[in-house]
C-alpha cells in the first residue's frame, strides 16, 4: 500500500506540474508568435514619410504591369458635350521608356454620334511607336470613310515621328508619373492599411496641391533641360481641381493603385476626368520589342479620331 501510495503521489505531482506549467509554456509560445507577427507587420509611418519614400522608390522602377480605366466628359467647341471611356492593359519597361498595351475605347462625339475602337500599341522609344487597329467604328460624319478605315485594320503601322508623341498615354505607370503622385498631393485622410493584389498598402485620400504641382513641373523641365513656362503652368493649375486615393506598398513603397477625379472649371471647355490605375509585377515584366512586318502609316493618327473629341 505504501508503495502504491507513493507512486500515486509521484504521478499526481507530475500531472500537477504539467497543469501548472501549461499556461506558462502557452504564454511563451503566444508571445513568440506575437513577436514574429509584429516583425512581419508594417510599421505605421506618418503619411509625409510614406510619400517621401514612394517618391524615391519610383525612381528605381524598371518594369511593371498595369491596367487603366479612364472616363472623360467635357464640352468641345460650341459647348457641345463629348464623352469617352478608355480601358487599357499592358506593361512598361526601361523605366517607362517602352510600353506595350491593348486599349479599347468608346464614346460619343460633339454631334452625339457613337464611336468605338480597339487597338494594340507598342512604344519602343520616344519616336518609335507602332499601332495595330483591331476594330474601329466612326460615325458617317467622321474624318475618313469607313471603307478606308477598314484598310488599316489588323496591320502593324509605324507612326511617323511627328505623330509619335500623341500616341503616348498619360495614364501608364511611367516612373515619372508615379513619382508625381507622391510629390504633388496633400493627404486629407489616412485610411490605415489595406490589401491590394495580396500586398499590404498604406491607403490615403489625397487632393492636388497646386503649388507642389507647379514646383514639380518646374523641376521636371530642369531635369529634361527644357525651358520652364510659369504662365502655362499657372493656366493649367488655376482652374484644375483633383481629389483621389493612393495605395502605396508598405514594404517596397511602390505605388500599387491610383484613383483620381479631375475637374476643370475653365468656362470655355469644362471637363471631368476619372482615372483608375492598378500597377503590379514590379521589376518582373517581359521584354518589349518592336513588331515585325510593320508599315509606315501614311497619315496622322489624329485623322482617325472622332471629330470634336479633342478640346480646341
Amino acid at each position: 500500500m505504501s508503495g502504491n501510495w507513493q507512486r500515486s503521489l509521484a504521478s499526481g505531482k507530475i500531472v500537477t506540474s504539467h497543469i501548472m506549467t501549461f499556461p506558462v509554456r502557452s504564454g511563451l509560445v503566444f508571445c513568440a508568435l506575437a513577436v514574429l507577427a509584429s516583425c512581419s507587420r508594417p510599421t505605421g509611418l506618418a503619411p509625409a514619410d510614406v510619400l517621401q519614400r514612394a517618391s524615391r522608390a519610383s525612381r528605381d522602377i524598371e518594369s511593371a504591369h498595369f491596367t487603366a480605366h479612364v472616363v472623360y466628359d467635357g464640352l468641345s467647341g460650341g459647348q457641345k458635350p463629348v464623352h469617352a471611356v478608355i480601358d487599357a492593359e499592358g506593361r512598361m519597361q526601361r523605366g517607362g521608356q517602352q510600353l506595350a498595351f491593348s486599349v479599347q475605347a468608346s464614346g460619343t462625339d460633339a454631334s452625339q454620334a457613337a464611336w468605338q475602337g480597339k487597338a494594340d500599341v507598342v512604344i519602343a522609344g520616344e519616336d518609335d511607336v507602332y499601332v495595330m487597329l483591331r476594330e474601329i467604328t466612326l460615325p458617317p460624319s467622321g474624318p475618313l470613310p469607313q471603307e478606308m478605315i477598314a484598310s488599316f485594320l489588323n496591320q502593324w503601322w509605324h507612326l511617323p515621328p511627328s505623330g509619335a508623341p500623341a500616341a503616348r498615354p498619360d495614364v501608364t505607370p511611367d516612373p515619372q508619373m508615379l513619382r508625381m503622385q507622391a510629390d504633388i498631393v496633400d493627404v486629407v485622410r489616412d485610411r490605415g492599411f489595406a490589401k491590394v493584389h495580396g500586398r499590404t498598402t498604406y491607403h490615403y485620400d489625397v487632393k492636388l496641391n497646386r503649388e507642389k504641382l507647379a514646383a514639380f513641373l518646374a523641376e521636371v523641365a530642369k531635369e529634361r533641360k527644357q525651358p520652364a513656362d510659369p504662365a502655362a503652368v499657372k493656366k493649367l493649375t488655376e482652374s484644375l481641381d483633383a481629389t483621389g486615393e493612393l495605395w502605396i506598398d508598405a514594404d517596397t513603397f511602390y505605388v500599387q493603385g491610383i484613383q483620381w477625379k479631375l475637374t476643370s472649371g475653365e468656362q470655355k471647355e469644362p471637363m471631368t476626368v476619372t482615372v483608375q490605375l492598378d500597377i503590379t509585377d514590379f521589376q518582373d515584366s517581359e521584354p518589349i520589342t518592336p513588331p515585325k512586318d510593320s508599315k509606315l502609316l501614311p497619315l496622322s493618327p489624329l485623322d482617325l479620331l472622332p471629330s470634336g473629341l479633342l478640346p480646341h
Side-chain angles (χ1 to χ4, degrees):
M1 294 291 292
S2 176
N4 290 337
W5 179 82
Q6 289 177 344
R7 284 193 295 271
S8 298
L9 180 60
S11 299
K13 287 182 178 180
I14 293 172
V15 172
T16 302
S17 175
H18 277 283
I19 292 174
M20 294 299 291
T21 58
F22 178 75
V24 176
R25 288 185 289 108
S26 299
L28 290 174
V29 171
F30 177 81
C31 289
L33 291 174
V35 169
L36 290 175
S38 65
C39 290
S40 62
R41 186 183 302 124
T43 304
L45 297 174
D49 291 335
V50 175
L51 292 178
Q52 262 191 353
R53 296 188 185 201
S55 177
R56 291 196 298 267
S58 67
R59 300 172 186 264
D60 300 328
I61 297 174
E62 282 295 318
S63 64
H65 179 272
F66 68 91
T67 60
H69 177 71
V70 182
V71 179
Y72 170 87
D73 287 286
L75 294 179
S76 184
Q79 300 294 295
K80 297 178 181 179
V82 294
H83 173 75
V85 178
I86 303 170
D87 287 287
E89 179 176 4
R91 63 191 192 279
M92 73 98 172
Q93 277 283 2
R94 294 178 60 187
Q97 296 181 41
Q98 293 183 324
L99 295 167
F101 59 94
S102 297
V103 60
Q104 59 180 15
S106 62
T108 53
D109 64 9
S111 67
Q112 294 302 288
W115 59 271
Q116 61 88 29
K118 297 179 181 179
D120 296 332
V121 181
V122 172
I123 302 178
E126 184 175 355
D127 289 330
D128 194 13
V129 181
Y130 304 82
V131 176
M132 177 184 286
L133 297 174
R134 298 290 187 182
E135 180 182 333
I136 185 167
T137 303
L138 299 180
S141 59
L144 295 175
Q146 192 65 36
E147 296 78 12
M148 181 180 294
I149 293 175
S151 66
F152 290 102
L153 298 180
N154 300 313
Q155 164 69 48
W156 279 110
W157 294 99
H158 191 188
L159 273 59
S162 59
R168 179 177 290 273
D170 292 330
V171 294
T172 54
D174 184 308
Q176 194 82 279
M177 189 275 290
L178 295 180
R179 173 186 155 204
M180 182 174 70
Q181 308 304 310
D183 284 356
I184 68 170
V185 302
D186 291 330
V187 173
V188 297
R189 180 184 177 187
D190 184 347
R191 291 178 174 265
F193 295 113
K195 284 287 187 180
V196 177
H197 309 303
R199 305 279 301 180
T200 300
T201 66
Y202 292 94
H203 184 192
Y204 300 132
D205 288 353
V206 295
K207 68 176 181 179
L208 174 69
N209 183 312
R210 294 186 179 90
E211 292 181 357
K212 289 182 180 180
L213 175 59
F216 177 84
L217 294 176
E219 181 183 350
V220 170
K222 183 178 180 180
E223 289 176 357
R224 296 179 177 179
K225 298 181 180 180
Q226 296 174 346
D229 190 345
V233 171
K234 182 180 179 181
K235 182 179 180 181
L236 171 68
T237 60
E238 63 185 0
S239 63
L240 185 65
D241 187 30
T243 58
E245 297 179 55
L246 288 181
W247 289 264
I248 299 173
D249 193 291
D251 181 32
T252 64
F253 294 95
Y254 293 151
V255 177
Q256 294 273 354
I258 301 166
Q259 285 187 5
W260 277 110
K261 181 178 181 180
L262 302 95
T263 57
S264 172
E266 189 176 346
Q267 293 182 351
K268 290 184 178 180
E269 294 179 347
M271 69 171 185
T272 299
V273 181
T274 59
V275 178
Q276 180 176 337
L277 182 63
D278 293 311
I279 311 106
T280 58
D281 301 327
F282 290 92
Q283 319 294 38
D284 189 26
S285 180
E286 298 177 4
I288 295 173
T289 56
K292 299 178 180 179
D293 303 323
S294 65
K295 298 179 180 180
L296 184 65
L297 186 68
L299 47 77
S300 168
L302 299 179
D303 293 335
L304 299 175
L305 292 178
S307 60
L309 179 61
L310 298 177
H312 295 287

